[in-house]
Amino acid sequence: MGILQGKRILVSGVLTDASIAFSVAKLAQQEGATLVLTGFGRMSLVERIAKRLPETPPVIELDVQNNEHLDTLADRIGEHVDGLDGVVHSIAFAPQSALGGNFLNTTWEDVATAMHISTYSYKSLAVACLPLMKEGGAVVGLDFDASKAWPVYDWMGVAKAGLESCNRYLARDLAKHNIRVNLVAAGPLRTMAAKSIPGFKEFEDSWPERAPLGWDLSDTVPAAKACVALMSDWFPATTGEIVHVDGGAHAIGA
Ligand SMILES: NC(=O)c1ccc[n+]([C@@H]2O[C@H](COP(=O)([O-])OP(=O)(O)OC[C@H]3O[C@@H](n4cnc5c(N)ncnc54)[C@H](O)[C@@H]3O)[C@@H](O)[C@H]2O)c1
């Protein structure tokens, strides 16, 4: 019996089979979960990728900047499952001007877009799913260590710092619904989102050397395993936490 047997889980953020969310979805199914996916924009691509999972889950559309999508989300999920035990937030975006070393010149409009999609949406998604989580459950988000200023990560780093804070406030306010809220801070992985960061190669070159356990830039499974574990019954008293899945790099001085 898998550790998510009988659990109903919403996974956002599948775009390609390199997406962290794809690995989470695959492992969650292998561990017994029933899934619903959300996709953004390129829905036919997401539906095609969903077919590569052990069982093809339903895919519903969600643009986290679209209030109508959010307001109708619970009803649309409810057409496929009678409730949710877990929600995975694997969503981030920043305009090009907010990344790549242009920190001092990025406009508020571009910063606002990054914060709306990468930070505020953690709260929006959790609240949109709340009517379906009557028996409690777990919310898990994907983070990149925001305790330091990194090369090229710029306003996405600020957005992730906000995400880490949002994680603590959500943990505070959703505890009364018996919902745990935790982040997985993954090391750099070669996904579509990563490829859109100009200068991402700087992370690729240094991370595997800094990480005492080593680091495989194309293996999303370790981060996905942590997400699945956090949604299982094996972290019953953990909330507001950040679990680092980075080969140990965060613990080591440069
Ligand atoms: N790749 C890395 O190095 C890395 C490391 C740590 C954390 N993360 C985080 O993991 C998460 C998933 O990213 P990924 O690396 O798997 O890349 P990805 O490109 O596969 O996933 C990003 C997802 O965000 C979605 N998205 C963008 N704008 C959206 C919107 N308006 N509404 C709804 N969805 C939207 C995209 O459709 C895509 O599915 C992100 O939060 C990212 O910051 C990534």
Side-chain angles (χ1 to χ4, degrees):
M1 206 165 99
I3 60 171
L4 295 184
Q5 199 65 45
K7 295 203 189 290
R8 303 147 301 176
I9 304 229
L10 182 78
V11 179
S12 67
V14 171
L15 180 60
T16 69
D17 55 9
S19 294
I20 299 170
F22 181 83
S23 265
V24 177
K26 189 173 170 189
L27 275 169
Q29 282 191 339
Q30 286 166 351
E31 291 298 324
T34 301
L35 294 193
V36 177
L37 303 189
T38 69
F40 164 65
R42 301 163 73 182
M43 290 302 287
S44 58
L45 172 62
V46 179
E47 275 158 16
R48 208 162 64 237
I49 297 294
K51 291 201 176 90
R52 297 188 192 166
L53 289 166
E55 279 173 54
T56 305
V59 183
I60 60 181
E61 191 173 15
L62 175 63
D63 172 356
V64 291
Q65 290 192 294
N66 183 322
N67 286 335
E68 197 190 323
H69 284 186
L70 288 163
D71 291 345
T72 58
L73 189 67
D75 285 346
R76 292 185 291 131
I77 296 168
E79 289 170 15
H80 304 285
V81 285
D82 56 3
L84 284 176
D85 305 289
V87 174
V88 179
H89 179 283
S90 190
I91 293 171
F93 173 79
Q96 285 292 294
S97 76
L99 298 160
N102 195 35
F103 188 82
L104 297 181
N105 300 310
T106 313
T107 63
W108 164 241
E109 285 69 27
D110 286 348
V111 172
T113 301
M115 300 291 282
H116 193 175
I117 298 175
S118 313
T119 307
Y120 184 75
S121 70
Y122 193 38
K123 191 275 313 181
S124 311
L125 181 63
V127 169
C129 292
L130 198 51
L132 293 168
M133 300 183 79
K134 295 211 162 47
E135 293 141 47
V139 175
V140 178
L142 271 302
D143 182 31
F144 189 74
D145 181 13
S147 64
K148 299 170 188 69
W150 297 105
V152 307
Y153 205 50
D154 294 8
W155 287 100
M156 185 56 89
V158 179
K160 289 299 190 194
L163 183 75
E164 292 182 356
S165 180
C166 186
N167 187 60
R168 292 184 280 270
Y169 282 96
L170 283 177
R172 181 193 71 180
D173 287 357
L174 295 181
K176 59 176 169 290
H177 300 282
N178 196 25
I179 295 171
R180 297 173 292 108
V181 187
N182 294 289
L183 290 173
V184 170
L189 292 160
R190 285 193 187 117
T191 63
M192 202 69 112
K195 281 182 198 151
S196 71
I197 302 174
F200 184 74
K201 196 170 179 311
E202 291 200 38
F203 291 114
E204 296 191 326
D205 292 343
S206 60
W207 211 278
E209 269 176 38
R210 278 187 37 237
L213 289 174
W215 183 250
D216 182 344
L217 295 147
S218 50
D219 185 5
T220 51
V221 170
K225 280 187 171 171
C227 294
V228 166
L230 284 165
M231 286 188 292
S232 77
D233 295 333
W234 289 91
F235 279 94
T238 300
T239 196
E241 188 57 276
I242 302 171
V243 178
H244 294 265
V245 181
D246 62 353
H250 72 283
I252 304 299

